[in-house]
Amino acid sequence: SPRIQTDFGLVSLLFCTHRHDYCVLGAGPAGLQMGYFLSQTQRDYIILERNSGPGSFFNVYPRHRKLISINKVYTGRRNPEFNLRHDWNSLLSDRPDLLFKRVSTQLYPRADALPRYLSLFAEELGLRIKYGVDIGKIHVSEPAFHGGHGYRLTDQNGLEYTCGILLVCTGLWVPQEVNFFGSELVEGYESIPVDPEEYRGQAVLILGKGNSAFETAQSILGRASRIHLYSPSPVRLAWQTHYVGDLRAVNNELLDTYQLKSLDGLVEGGLEEIAIVRYDSEERNKSSRRKKHGSVEMKGRGQLYLTLDELLDNQNKTLAFSPMTLPGYHNDNFSLRQPYDRVIRCLGFRFNFSIFEGAASLLHSGMARGRLPAVTAWYEGKGTPGLFVLGTASHSRDYRSSAGGFIHGFRYTIRAVHWILEQRYHNRAWPTTKLQTTQLLSWLLRRVNEASGPYQMFGVLGDIVLLRGSHFEYLEEFPLQALAQFSTLSGHRVTKSGMLVLVMQYGLNRTDTLGSGRAESEWTWAWRSNFLHPVLYYYSTIPTEQEMKHRPAGWPLPRPKAIHHMIEDFLTEWDGPMSHIQPLRRFLEHCLQTDLRAFYAESCFRFSLTYREPPIFCRLGYLKKQGVIGNRKLWQHAREAGLMPTHHDSGTPKEDMSFQNYITKAAASVASGMNFHL
Amino acid sequence: MKSGSDLLKTFGTDTVFDVNAIVAHVLFTVLFDEVKSVETQEELRNIERAVKGRADIVLAQLPMLGLPEHRAVMEAAFVYGAKHQFVLTKGGSLERLGIEDPDSPGSHLWFLHCREVLRQSDPCQHTTLKKPLTTLNVYTFLQLMETPLVTEASVDPSDVKTVGSHLHAPLLFLFSQRETLALDRVTAETLGWRLRGEVAVVLIHRDSADVRTPVEYNAAYRLPAEGSVIKYFNLKSIEEVVNLFREDTVQEEEEDIDEDWAVLDVLDDEVVESVYRDRDVELDVGLVTELTSDTFSKAVQESNTAVVLFFVRWDAASLAVMQSFKEVADALEDIADVQLACVDCGEWTDVCSSQLIAAFPTVRMYWSGGLPHTYTGMLGTESLLKYIMLSLAAAPVLLSSSQEVQSFLQGDLFHTQATLSPTRVVGLLSSSQDSGWPMFEGAAQALRGETLLGLFADQQAEQWAKDHNVKLPAILVFRAPDSTIKAHSLQLSSTEQLVSDIQKLLLDTFPELTVENLPLYLELRKPLLLLFLGPEGDEEQGQGLDRRDAREELHRLADTSLLDTYVPCWVHLGRTPAGRAVLESYLGSIPQLPALVLSQLASGGEVFHFPSESPLNSDTVLQWLHRVERKEEQPAGLVLDEKWGPSVPFYDFLSIMDQEVPGYAAQKTPKMTKNMVGEKGSDEEPGHSNRTPSTKKHMPQQEVPTSHQHSEF
């Protein structure tokens, strides 16, 4: 693999300063996050941004200015790692005060807070950003860059930037459009007026049923007369699918007005098959005169009709409008038969593929109708080595399943990519924590109870435990889909002791989110848990690519040698000795084939003298002079439970001896008698 | 009672007051070899140990002999004596079972399931006979003990023929189908354990055509009474079923707390369990200060000495150590210089990460003007207290005159600490310019809290060395029990070497082994020559082996170099009662005390017992050791060579998935993958192609949940 030499200083002098080991394209949340990690490892990097400040997307979007990423400031906890589970806007850094709550304490903050936060982040961490650089063309640089690809970027002034590694953090900002007859009559989310008064009394058809569609509907609900939402698939509710990209409850008032039959409604249908036709005043007069011919009545101020492409022949397309071309003419209870004042397109955004040329071209992912570039499990463009796609644009890996398209998800995948870059280009292995095996249980519980990365990026990032006998190495937040390439990407080996993977997962049973029986409480039923819960996979060797490919349907990983589900918990606190800890310990004991119980020093004393080798807890603690002594009260408890032997206590008063005497006498008499066999 | 012409036994008329008494006593005599009697649980444990893996135990508590209960038990023993180990007790000292109320003198009977126990360290589970001790009840009970926990059948309940049907025991039927078989088996086994000895549990495979039970029921039972009918019901919880039988058949006994013994949800970790039993007491840290991210830095910077316990609440060892830590805080309440504090790493994870805490619990000492020191000693009240107190002394203590050396060694300097530390060490150097100085300083820091280390760098050091017949650099080691001072010359090469040399010199030549110091001596990896001494006044006299003589003999021997290949040591069974279990494990029983044992822990694993009839003196011991070396002695026991595998089998979710939802956990075959692509690989809106407005006009949501009950509780 190519290694970047550190003698760039001289080269840079010769070729002017526009040459960097790392170019980060875009100063949005993802670009700044990557910039932070590169600055932490003191890499030669530059962030290129066409606008004059960071996060410019948020200067415009969301149009109605309410962020729907949760900013929960009051969690009742002071654990900063845990709190990130409920802070969806902050970026990761080593500054405990550089969190989003500094700019807003609202649960759903104003969108302006985000660029403000990003400016603060960039400024306080001294990130190197060049504003006003609008990259229009990206080529593979020639000659090849240190054995691998390099990339050449050209800006609006023809200035060139040569980069060893290109990190594309440009987000999604090109509005997604659909072509149908009359689509030029449709307004776009990006340019609609946001003042509700502009919609007073109007009938509005919104194309799309995502958050931007509902956000738009919600803002005009009190002014518009009728709002219909139209798109191919039914609404997916985030609280049902656990996917934050689906419709969030914060925007869903229209569901109420629809279900309470209060004029609004949702309709499913293909976008390619429709057409929008305008009835202008000239036509209107004509048709009024011929009123007796048409069954379609024109009411209100409506001008735009939804119809079906198949109803328009080529001739009609030029003629534009006649009642016969409307579905209501053929089907008198057609849902969308009434005209609209406005048709608004809220179909989301797509990646800007246009700037990547030649060998630098990015492929389209099969996900999200080709709106996203195709990337590997470690976020490198497919076919573009050295070019990584980060941030929202990298969402094809976990589209509609996890949080990789959102700040609270991609902040972790970016960290993962950074470690992969460090290993590949600088020979620095993924950081691990090396701990004694006796600490495995409490370390896993620690992660399970506080870690934010696997919690937010459930099913995508998982912690890896490399078992090594009496110790283990703990590696955080590895991209699971890249597990087959683990050794190459992380720089660590798996020994014959095998490995564990800790993943947070939702259950598969998504039928009745609020119904009875939606949660399990018996730990033996943990595998049927529906809510987010920890799952441990045990492998004796790294799964192969084939095994990854053929993993059970719906599983993040292939069938392991053993699996353990920790029962979902209402409070997401997995620390119950019976329900959580002991079952986990027994699973680990099975994987490690060793007794992991804890013992008081007294028990260790006994085992150390009577066994060739005492249990691991005694070996690594007591025998290293670090036994847990306990006290009388605790020993008493353990003895009462039958777990520690009770000592023959010389202080016990000798009781009536008659029973014993009787037996002693009987023994003597039998002994003196004869050998008696039955 | 006679056998042929031999008189077997005579009975006093007071013991054979009626037919029960006669039968009982006669059987008792006849079965003498088979029926054991115990008075202490020690004795009971010996029996358990002997039969584990081989046989089960029937334990009867009989407060009086000759009663009908006695007869019933003896009659059962007559029949089953060859199969089970029968044990009689007068009762009152069997707390181990956790059932006995020593004040209730009634007759009871338990069945101890020792036969299935695979490892010595595991306890035998037990079942209580809940009915009066009659011959029939005991017989039924023992028969039920022999039946499997759960029988399985593929016929209708009315056709089931199991041991239960002729035993006057109620039958409980559970219905299962193929998909839920694994889980149903777990339920059935749990119930089997709960109802063992009272009810026979039968698992019926409903898939069989012979089963005619309506599907709306998942359970049924039949009481033993003649002609009683099968009653069908729906099993909702285990408790419910248990109660059903308790109410129906057992009236006299209240539900027993310890009945859950055998089910999965019993904590089997002594530390976890003992901490868990205190869960009603909210974790109160007493005089220990709880530190947070906001207070940590200030607290460790501002106090002279701060001892901090880093812990997590889900780690039982942490909570156990917290108990000791609180006791230390109480003991140090009046010492203003020392602050005891703790950090909950579950909450203040940032503090613990920045302090690089990699193990729970960790005890670390912070002091003004020095690097923090992580405590690596025993985590108990005394050890911690000693560590903290000794740490308060300077390291090293700089001594400036011969008088100071004298008074330091005698314990007059640092009196408080000196009483805690049985040893004191003085390094002797000719001057403070000596190259050994920094090494001594380093060693003193490393040994801080472990012992008191003084440093005397002066011309007069030469004189001290001369007086003790050594050359500089040297150290003097003072040992409290016998107040001896020994001097040793040193080869100073590195601080680490010096530390390890000093640690070796601090070891006793003939130590009393305790729970706390054993690891120090095991580290030497030599065979242990152990002298077990009973508590004072607990020894049988008249064998010529006096405890003091034996100890002094061995001590003398230990001070020569003749035992250099061994670690000679002694264990006081009164102060270290765990030694008794060790001795038992070595020899199978407690021999006459004092007992001298050679344990080849590190090599071979054989245990030799010095013949208790021989006089114990230097010569006999040495001769015995030679015989052992020449392999002329038979080992009296073995050090156990078992591996500490998983304590219980784990709950195999994979196999349960495979049974409950076949295919769910299976790898896809390459062919399957192709089929799955359309379904899983594509994220596109399902079926949107045919949902045009013309065909589906108005589509209300299909999957809106209807029930609003939260069932999480």
Side-chain angles (χ1 to χ4, degrees):
Chain A
S1 62
R3 298 245 180 273
I4 292 178
Q5 306 298 306
T6 42
D7 55 0
F8 263 126
L10 279 177
V11 184
S12 304
L13 281 177
L14 291 171
F15 289 89
C16 82
T17 52
H18 302 321
R19 176 155 201 157
H20 298 277
D21 291 355
Y22 294 94
C23 294
V24 180
L25 201 51
L32 298 191
Q33 186 67 83
M34 192 68 212
Y36 165 73
F37 290 121
L38 291 170
S39 74
Q40 280 296 97
T41 45
Q42 284 148 22
R43 300 296 166 210
D44 167 30
Y45 77 97
I46 188 79
I47 303 173
L48 302 173
E49 167 61 48
R50 61 178 168 161
N51 290 293
S52 57
S56 55
F57 181 87
F58 294 93
N59 290 329
V60 182
Y61 302 109
R63 293 300 314 281
H64 303 89
R65 312 310 289 146
K66 189 200 248 185
L67 294 178
I68 56 173
S69 285
I70 289 170
N71 178 43
K72 189 147 182 75
V73 177
Y74 305 102
T75 59
R77 296 282 305 271
R78 289 283 307 275
N79 180 329
E81 178 64 27
F82 174 89
N83 284 345
L84 277 174
R85 290 180 170 187
H86 308 289
D87 171 355
W88 293 10
N89 293 289
S90 292
L91 297 181
L92 304 177
S93 78
D94 57 358
R95 303 278 186 90
D97 56 335
L98 208 45
L99 294 171
F100 193 78
K101 64 181 176 191
R102 239 170 85 181
V103 297
S104 174
T105 55
Q106 280 179 292
L107 182 62
Y108 298 111
R110 294 271 307 162
D112 314 296
L114 199 58
R116 245 188 304 137
Y117 170 68
L118 295 177
S119 302
L120 215 59
F121 187 87
E123 216 166 277
E124 296 199 3
L125 293 168
L127 302 183
R128 288 197 289 272
I129 309 175
K130 234 178 183 179
Y131 291 107
V133 179
D134 190 358
I135 301 298
K137 276 189 188 132
I138 296 169
H139 292 275
V140 167
S141 76
E142 288 164 23
F145 181 87
H146 280 267
H149 279 301
Y151 292 90
R152 201 173 70 243
L153 283 51
T154 314
D155 75 1
Q156 73 274 31
N157 303 318
L159 273 176
E160 291 197 343
Y161 295 81
T162 312
C163 315
I165 310 301
L166 177 58
L167 303 154
V168 179
C169 306
T170 50
L172 306 180
W173 57 271
V174 182
Q176 170 79 2
E177 295 179 30
V178 206
N179 273 320
F180 50 77
F181 181 77
S183 57
E184 72 282 359
L185 300 171
V186 174
E187 297 170 81
Y189 172 72
E190 62 280 5
S191 57
I192 50 163
V194 291
D195 180 3
E197 290 303 328
E198 302 253 350
Y199 299 84
R200 188 197 291 260
Q202 294 187 351
V204 179
L205 176 68
I206 297 176
L207 304 180
K209 286 195 205 95
N211 278 301
S212 63
F214 273 84
E215 167 207 325
T216 306
Q218 184 138 333
S219 85
I220 60 175
L221 211 50
R223 290 293 175 271
S225 62
R226 176 170 80 224
I227 307 169
H228 292 163
L229 271 62
Y230 178 87
S231 72
S233 49
V235 166
R236 266 178 295 258
L237 300 165
W239 58 263
Q240 279 184 328
T241 61
H242 309 297
Y243 173 63
V244 295
D246 285 335
L247 178 59
R248 300 283 309 285
V250 52
N251 279 332
N252 74 5
E253 282 174 28
L254 187 131
L255 293 181
D256 247 22
T257 55
Y258 170 41
Q259 289 296 328
L260 302 176
K261 294 312 283 178
S262 195
L263 293 175
D264 306 314
L266 306 176
V267 177
E268 280 73 50
L271 287 167
E272 261 87 30
E273 294 128 36
I274 60 163
I276 301 289
V277 291
R278 183 204 290 276
Y279 174 68
D280 56 36
S281 43
E282 234 174 278
E283 287 287 317
R284 186 177 190 166
N285 293 339
K286 272 190 229 164
S287 85
S288 311
R289 265 177 253 131
R290 300 184 305 197
K291 202 170 179 176
K292 54 182 185 286
H293 299 291
S295 59
V296 181
E297 248 185 283
M298 313 291 165
K299 273 192 204 155
R301 307 179 295 123
Q303 292 189 316
L304 300 172
Y305 284 85
L306 179 132
T307 184
L308 301 178
D309 194 59
E310 60 188 18
L311 295 178
L312 304 173
D313 51 30
N314 287 333
Q315 202 188 4
N316 283 335
K317 278 184 183 170
T318 51
L319 284 174
F321 179 74
S322 97
M324 302 246 307
T325 62
L326 297 183
Y329 178 85
H330 307 278
N331 185 354
D332 64 359
N333 68 347
F334 180 70
S335 302
L336 307 177
R337 59 189 181 272
Q338 292 291 2
Y340 297 96
D341 297 285
R342 290 171 186 271
V343 179
I344 302 173
R345 158 178 53 70
C346 299
L347 297 172
F349 301 91
R350 54 192 288 110
F351 182 72
N352 180 16
F353 285 90
S354 68
I355 57 175
F356 300 89
E357 298 188 356
S361 295
L362 288 173
L363 301 171
H364 291 256
S365 157
M367 291 284 173
R369 271 178 270 145
R371 294 191 285 134
L372 301 169
V375 291
T376 62
W378 49 96
Y379 302 94
E380 198 166 16
K382 282 185 180 165
T384 54
L387 186 158
F388 292 80
V389 180
L390 307 173
T392 306
S394 69
H395 197 24
S396 64
R397 291 306 311 182
D398 60 348
Y399 184 66
R400 279 200 185 143
S401 62
S402 197
F406 312 90
I407 296 175
H408 66 285
F410 64 61
R411 61 189 181 202
Y412 304 101
T413 51
I414 289 173
R415 181 157 63 187
V417 168
H418 180 245
W419 291 129
I420 288 167
L421 296 173
E422 287 291 305
Q423 161 63 16
R424 192 196 284 182
Y425 299 110
H426 309 284
N427 212 12
R428 281 183 69 219
W430 196 299
T432 60
T433 313
K434 187 176 160 182
L435 297 162
Q436 289 193 335
T437 296
T438 45
Q439 294 295 317
L440 179 56
L441 182 62
S442 57
W443 207 261
L444 283 170
L445 288 167
R446 184 186 194 186
R447 288 291 290 171
V448 153
N449 283 305
E450 72 174 24
S452 61
Y455 191 89
Q456 305 283 28
M457 287 302 285
F458 54 87
V460 177
L461 296 181
D463 287 359
I464 310 273
V465 185
L466 303 169
L467 302 172
R468 304 269 196 258
S470 65
H471 75 277
F472 64 93
E473 289 187 54
Y474 200 98
L475 188 150
E476 294 176 1
E477 296 164 24
F478 188 82
L480 297 176
Q481 294 317 304
L483 198 59
Q485 289 81 18
F486 174 77
S487 290
T488 321
L489 294 176
S490 73
H492 293 282
R493 296 190 166 283
V494 173
T495 64
K496 62 179 188 329
S497 304
M499 69 198 292
L500 292 168
V501 186
L502 169 65
V503 189
M504 299 295 288
Q505 279 176 225
Y506 280 96
L508 296 167
N509 179 9
R510 292 177 183 169
T511 48
D512 194 355
T513 326
L514 297 180
S516 66
R518 65 184 171 278
E520 299 294 344
S521 56
E522 272 294 314
W523 71 261
T524 49
W525 285 69
W527 69 282
R528 288 178 178 271
S529 293
N530 287 317
F531 287 90
L532 196 62
H533 65 283
V535 185
L536 284 115
Y537 296 75
Y538 168 64
Y539 298 99
S540 50
T541 53
I542 302 176
T544 63
E545 214 154 337
Q546 277 301 306
E547 285 165 341
M548 287 299 295
K549 206 170 131 195
H550 297 144
R551 63 188 188 272
W555 284 41
L557 289 172
R559 182 185 172 96
K561 270 192 93 172
I563 198 167
H564 182 69
H565 284 253
M566 289 179 77
I567 184 75
E568 58 193 338
D569 189 77
F570 188 58
L571 302 174
T572 62
E573 288 172 13
W574 288 276
D575 58 0
M578 299 257 198
S579 304
H580 304 127
I581 304 180
Q582 182 158 285
L584 174 61
R585 195 202 78 218
R586 286 175 174 169
F587 168 74
L588 297 176
E589 284 178 341
H590 172 80
C591 301
L592 279 77
Q593 280 301 303
T594 193
D595 189 333
L596 288 176
R597 287 180 295 178
F599 296 96
Y600 286 115
E602 188 187 293
S603 299
C604 290
F605 172 89
R606 205 153 36 84
F607 299 144
S608 302
L609 283 173
T610 54
Y611 284 81
R612 295 289 285 273
E613 204 170 54
I616 192 166
F617 185 85
C618 296
R619 266 189 352 250
L620 299 183
Y622 177 74
L623 285 186
K624 302 237 153 85
K625 299 157 216 158
Q626 297 170 43
V628 175
I629 303 284
N631 62 22
R632 276 180 191 285
K633 194 171 152 217
L634 294 168
W635 300 330
Q636 188 56 33
H637 284 324
R639 285 185 180 129
E640 278 166 12
L643 293 167
M644 266 174 97
T646 313
H647 295 311
H648 168 81
D649 195 344
S650 57
T652 310
K654 293 264 184 279
E655 285 172 2
D656 180 10
M657 290 291 287
S658 56
F659 186 72
Q660 196 65 25
N661 286 344
Y662 173 80
I663 287 165
T664 318
K665 277 187 214 147
S669 63
V670 169
S672 66
M674 55 169 292
N675 294 328
F676 190 94
H677 296 288
L678 273 178
Chain B
M1 180 171 170
K2 291 178 78 170
S3 169
S5 60
D6 297 318
L7 181 69
L8 270 183
K9 176 145 173 64
T10 48
F11 301 100
T13 44
D14 55 334
T15 57
V16 286
F17 39 81
D18 68 0
V19 63
N20 287 324
I22 293 168
V23 173
H25 282 296
V26 167
L27 285 172
F28 191 67
T29 310
V30 166
L31 297 172
F32 185 78
D33 285 337
E34 283 161 31
V35 178
K36 296 206 164 128
S37 52
V38 298
E39 197 187 12
T40 64
Q41 45 166 323
E42 198 73 23
E43 292 166 329
L44 176 59
R45 241 202 352 266
N46 283 343
I47 295 172
E48 276 181 51
R49 170 195 292 279
V51 301
K52 267 181 194 172
R54 295 205 305 274
D56 295 319
I57 295 177
V58 179
L59 172 66
Q61 171 180 308
L62 301 167
M64 266 193 69
L65 299 179
L67 295 181
E69 289 84 0
H70 186 198
R71 178 182 170 181
V73 173
M74 292 320 299
E75 282 175 344
F78 187 76
V79 178
Y80 286 102
K83 189 167 210 165
H84 308 308
Q85 176 64 58
F86 276 70
V87 180
L88 301 189
T89 178
K90 195 165 173 291
S93 53
L94 303 176
E95 302 91 336
R96 183 207 155 279
L97 287 175
I99 333 166
E100 286 80 1
D101 176 1
D103 299 327
S104 100
S107 302
H108 299 285
L109 186 128
W110 300 272
F111 193 87
L112 277 62
H113 306 267
C114 294
R115 194 159 45 91
E116 297 151 19
V117 173
L118 296 177
R119 225 171 35 201
Q120 272 301 339
S121 51
D122 293 337
C124 304
Q125 291 164 348
H126 72 268
T127 309
T128 310
L129 170 62
K130 298 230 169 65
K131 295 181 183 172
L133 257 71
T134 66
T135 305
L136 182 63
N137 283 345
V138 173
Y139 171 73
T140 308
F141 179 69
L142 293 180
Q143 284 276 298
L144 279 172
M145 288 303 104
E146 277 181 54
T147 59
L149 211 49
V150 175
T151 8
E152 299 196 15
S154 299
V155 293
D156 208 54
S158 50
D159 303 327
V160 169
K161 299 265 179 294
T162 70
V163 64
S165 15
H166 60 86
L167 274 178
H168 305 283
L171 283 167
L172 171 67
F173 304 99
L174 301 175
F175 297 93
S176 174
Q177 46 234 350
R178 202 175 300 113
E179 301 81 61
T180 59
L181 189 59
L183 281 174
D184 293 336
R185 275 196 183 123
V186 173
T187 311
E189 264 173 43
T190 309
L191 270 168
W193 272 114
R194 291 290 299 269
L195 296 169
R196 193 161 199 173
E198 298 168 71
V199 178
V201 180
V202 185
L203 192 67
I204 307 264
H205 297 271
R206 175 170 267 158
D207 305 307
S208 160
D210 298 331
V211 180
R212 300 179 296 272
T213 308
V215 282
E216 64 256 40
Y217 300 112
N218 62 11
Y221 68 95
R222 189 172 68 194
L223 295 178
E226 200 60 41
S228 71
V229 288
I230 294 171
K231 291 179 188 151
Y232 293 94
F233 68 105
N234 256 312
L235 172 79
K236 290 189 204 74
S237 79
I238 286 174
E239 285 314 311
E240 193 189 330
V241 180
V242 171
N243 288 337
L244 179 80
F245 289 102
R246 290 286 140 77
E247 284 158 18
D248 269 18
T249 60
V250 184
Q251 293 88 20
E252 73 261 35
E253 258 190 85
E254 285 291 291
E255 204 173 308
D256 206 305
I257 313 161
D258 291 288
E259 237 142 35
D260 286 353
W261 247 73
V263 298
L264 280 170
D265 285 340
V266 171
L267 294 176
D268 59 3
D269 178 306
E270 64 190 41
V271 181
V272 174
E273 169 70 22
S274 58
V275 170
Y276 187 64
R277 286 194 172 212
D278 269 344
R279 67 191 179 283
D280 53 330
V281 191
E282 210 183 318
L283 183 61
D284 157 41
V285 294
L287 293 172
V288 180
T289 317
E290 281 185 274
L291 296 181
T292 68
S293 302
D294 310 323
T295 57
F296 178 80
S297 310
K298 197 159 173 269
V300 298
Q301 276 160 20
E302 287 187 358
S303 65
N304 263 337
T305 309
V307 190
V308 184
L309 170 68
F310 295 89
F311 72 104
V312 283
R313 281 168 201 273
W314 53 76
D315 175 47
S318 287
L319 299 186
V321 171
M322 178 65 87
Q323 298 292 326
S324 303
F325 210 64
K326 272 155 61 180
E327 290 169 7
V328 174
D330 290 343
L332 293 177
E333 191 180 357
D334 298 327
I335 300 183
D337 269 0
V338 185
Q339 192 195 1
L340 266 82
C342 62
V343 177
D344 178 354
C345 293
E347 186 68 9
W348 311 106
T349 189
D350 42 346
V351 176
C352 302
S353 300
S354 71
Q355 295 300 308
L356 303 173
I357 301 300
F360 304 114
T362 293
V363 175
R364 192 170 286 174
M365 186 178 273
Y366 296 82
W367 42 52
S368 45
L371 290 172
H373 185 258
T374 303
Y375 175 64
T376 55
M378 286 287 165
L379 295 159
T381 310
E382 275 175 45
S383 315
L384 277 164
L385 204 53
K386 183 180 150 196
Y387 165 72
I388 294 168
M389 291 307 292
L390 291 186
S391 295
L392 293 179
V397 177
L398 297 180
L399 303 168
S400 56
S401 67
S402 278
Q403 279 96 337
E404 274 192 8
V405 174
Q406 195 65 45
S407 90
F408 176 79
L409 287 171
Q410 297 307 326
D412 298 334
L413 269 182
F414 295 99
H415 182 73
T416 326
Q417 282 85 357
T419 53
L420 287 167
S421 171
T423 54
R424 263 122 26 224
V425 178
V426 173
L428 296 175
L429 294 172
S430 55
S431 83
S432 56
Q433 264 66 54
D434 192 291
S435 61
W437 178 277
M439 276 184 234
F440 265 105
E441 277 194 317
Q445 281 297 326
L447 292 167
R448 191 166 192 165
E450 211 169 305
T451 186
L452 286 176
L453 195 145
L455 187 50
F456 187 49
D458 193 282
Q459 286 171 339
Q460 287 174 29
E462 199 73 55
Q463 190 56 47
W464 279 89
K466 218 174 264 169
D467 292 349
H468 287 89
N469 237 345
V470 291
K471 285 198 166 139
L472 291 183
I475 59 167
L476 303 171
V477 178
F478 171 88
R479 208 181 291 280
D482 39 10
S483 298
T484 56
I485 296 176
K486 280 189 184 164
H488 308 267
S489 278
L490 293 170
Q491 296 285 334
L492 291 176
S493 55
S494 71
T495 306
E496 293 72 35
Q497 188 58 46
L498 180 57
V499 169
S500 117
D501 286 348
I502 293 175
Q503 277 170 334
K504 256 185 216 139
L505 293 172
L506 289 176
L507 293 181
D508 220 326
T509 48
F510 185 55
E512 178 190 350
L513 278 193
T514 60
V515 167
E516 308 208 5
N517 74 7
L518 173 70
L520 297 175
Y521 294 96
L522 283 184
E523 227 172 34
L524 302 172
R525 302 196 62 74
K526 293 178 186 171
L528 297 182
L529 189 57
L530 289 147
L531 179 67
F532 289 91
L533 300 176
E536 282 83 353
D538 198 34
E539 268 136 41
E540 288 164 51
Q541 299 296 315
Q543 292 288 336
L545 234 178
D546 183 70
R547 52 183 290 114
R548 185 162 305 156
D549 290 350
R551 214 180 90 195
E552 278 168 11
E553 264 316 297
L554 267 181
H555 198 171
R556 259 198 300 282
L557 201 52
D559 280 342
T560 68
S561 58
L562 293 166
L563 297 181
D564 277 358
T565 50
Y566 306 96
V567 179
C569 51
W570 53 289
V571 180
H572 187 283
L573 296 182
R575 286 193 288 267
T576 311
R580 191 173 286 269
V582 173
L583 194 51
E584 256 186 67
S585 165
Y586 283 163
L587 306 177
S589 62
I590 300 287
Q592 194 182 7
L593 296 174
L596 182 64
V597 165
L598 177 70
S599 168
Q600 297 180 326
L601 260 180
S603 57
E606 292 178 329
V607 175
F608 298 89
H609 183 200
F610 183 81
S612 42
E613 62 279 4
S614 312
L616 194 156
N617 59 49
S618 306
D619 292 339
T620 53
V621 170
L622 286 175
Q623 282 161 11
W624 173 64
L625 289 174
H626 280 134
R627 283 200 304 279
V628 170
E629 264 172 46
R630 291 196 305 267
K631 304 207 184 298
E632 290 168 13
E633 285 283 321
Q634 283 298 313
L638 285 174
V639 173
L640 300 169
D641 199 11
E642 289 168 33
K643 286 267 171 286
W644 289 85
S647 50
V648 287
F650 87 124
Y651 194 79
D652 189 353
F653 280 111
L654 270 184
S655 70
I656 290 185
M657 290 172 186
D658 287 344
Q659 277 164 20
E660 291 234 332
V661 188
Y664 167 66
Q667 286 285 98
K668 286 179 270 189
T669 61
K671 201 177 138 206
M672 268 176 76
T673 318
K674 262 183 212 161
N675 298 338
M676 304 297 274
V677 166
E679 194 183 314
K680 199 250 152 202
S682 122
D683 60 291
E684 300 306 331
E685 293 71 13
H688 74 263
S689 50
N690 54 13
R691 288 192 186 176
T692 58
S694 52
T695 53
K696 302 222 174 174
K697 0 182 200 183
H698 182 92
M699 300 186 50
Q701 297 300 292
Q702 298 299 316
E703 294 179 359
V704 176
T706 50
S707 171
H708 298 272
Q709 184 200 352
H710 196 290
S711 67
E712 191 119 17
F713 304 103

